[in-house]
Amino acid sequence: MKNKISPSILSADFGKLNQEIKEVEKYADSLHIDVMDGHFVSNISYGSVVVKDIKTKLPMDCHLMTEEPIKYAKDFSKHVNRIFFHAELFRNKNELLKAIKKIKSLKVKVGLAINPDKPVSLILSVMKEIDAVLIMSVYAGFGGQKFMPEVLKKVEILREKGFKKEIVIDGGINEKTIKLAKNSGANVFVVGSSIFGEKDRKKAIQKLNEALK
Ligand code: DX5
Ligand code: ZN
């Protein structure tokens, strides 16, 4: 499976967002769009009115850190390729399946995300119905946090149980932690501060790709 670098625009300068995206576009594989509602997480980031103005040829992943993913998914589905929402918002398999179906009906790919302290079992129970999984390696809420290696067990479990689609790892990824994530079975690496916190974005992405070899 192809390894992919997915810059998270949360760490970009929003005053010149499209320029920031241009700087990573040639070297990245997709863009990661973090949406925060001030409820599911305390931060507020941006909504679909900002995402609609993003100019890029890269496929976009929308990571909804919102209490009501279904309420917002429609607006984002017009602009992005894949929508991730948090599995722990749903109490049982049936509710989760209903939400997956709803998002699928918007003609986008659908993925489930999960915070570090939540078990992967809920995702396992519906893994045949989804296109991808996003394992949080920091607590959802803001960029620049320290990577939590213990979450990699979840990636290993998903692969052991036969999940063959993309597994995204999100949070605290740098040249060192990207190797650990890759070895556990993840293939999409979300990177915020280790790309947009660096002056030379091309070099930053090259270093990450180098670490994956
Ligand atoms: C955290 C977000 C991440 C974050 C990653 O809530 O989901 O996508 O932007 O940023 P870094 O790479 O700085 O941890
Ligand atoms: Zn994210």
Side-chain angles (χ1 to χ4, degrees):
M1 194 175 283
K2 189 183 184 307
N3 288 318
K4 296 179 178 173
I5 305 284
S6 187
S8 164
I9 61 162
L10 191 62
S11 306
D13 181 339
F14 289 111
K16 46 173 184 173
L17 187 55
N18 278 320
Q19 199 181 316
E20 293 273 82
I21 290 169
K22 223 173 183 168
E23 283 188 24
V24 299
E25 191 160 47
K26 263 200 251 162
Y27 317 105
D29 301 286
S30 60
L31 273 189
H32 186 82
I33 316 288
D34 286 308
V35 178
M36 304 178 181
D37 66 347
H39 292 282
F40 181 66
V41 292
S42 60
N43 255 344
I44 295 175
S45 57
Y46 39 75
S48 62
V49 289
V50 171
V51 178
K52 83 168 181 359
D53 288 334
I54 290 179
K55 289 180 183 58
T56 184
K57 291 187 191 86
L58 292 173
M60 287 196 259
D61 277 341
C62 177
H63 176 194
L64 289 179
M65 284 165 273
T66 62
E67 235 159 51
E68 295 181 84
I70 302 302
K71 184 173 163 187
Y72 298 108
K74 194 174 177 188
D75 284 345
F76 288 103
S77 72
K78 295 170 191 152
H79 314 292
V80 307
N81 304 72
R82 188 161 64 175
I83 292 181
F84 288 91
F85 65 98
H86 275 256
E88 62 264 43
L89 288 166
F90 298 86
R91 266 167 306 165
N92 59 55
K93 186 179 164 180
N94 274 350
E95 281 184 29
L96 195 52
L97 281 173
K98 257 194 234 163
I100 292 167
K101 229 176 151 182
K102 194 102 196 188
I103 295 195
K104 268 188 179 169
S105 75
L106 301 170
K107 307 274 177 273
V108 284
K109 292 204 165 167
V110 58
L112 285 177
I114 189 121
N115 256 315
D117 60 344
K118 299 292 184 294
V120 76
S121 47
L122 200 52
I123 292 182
L124 289 172
S125 72
V126 297
M127 71 178 186
K128 289 201 175 74
E129 311 302 323
I130 55 178
D131 301 302
V133 171
L134 183 153
I135 300 293
M136 291 296 308
S137 39
V138 300
Y139 281 98
F142 39 93
Q145 303 180 71
K146 197 169 173 280
F147 183 75
M148 299 169 73
E150 59 271 31
V151 306
L152 297 179
K153 187 84 203 138
K154 293 184 201 174
V155 180
E156 287 168 13
I157 293 172
L158 279 157
R159 292 301 186 210
E160 276 163 26
K161 300 280 182 195
F163 188 74
K164 292 200 172 61
K165 294 174 183 168
E166 293 201 327
I167 300 184
V168 182
I169 190 96
D170 186 6
I173 294 293
N174 57 37
E175 280 170 73
K176 280 192 186 129
T177 57
I178 201 168
K179 288 185 191 164
L180 306 175
K182 181 201 163 196
N183 291 341
S184 73
N187 78 298
V188 181
F189 309 93
V190 175
V191 189
S193 36
S194 294
I195 291 177
F196 288 109
E198 299 291 319
K199 247 204 170 117
D200 189 339
R201 279 73 190 267
K202 176 183 173 186
K203 204 163 137 197
I205 297 174
Q206 276 172 345
K207 276 188 189 168
L208 291 160
N209 273 317
E210 207 55 46
L212 286 171
K213 280 184 186 158

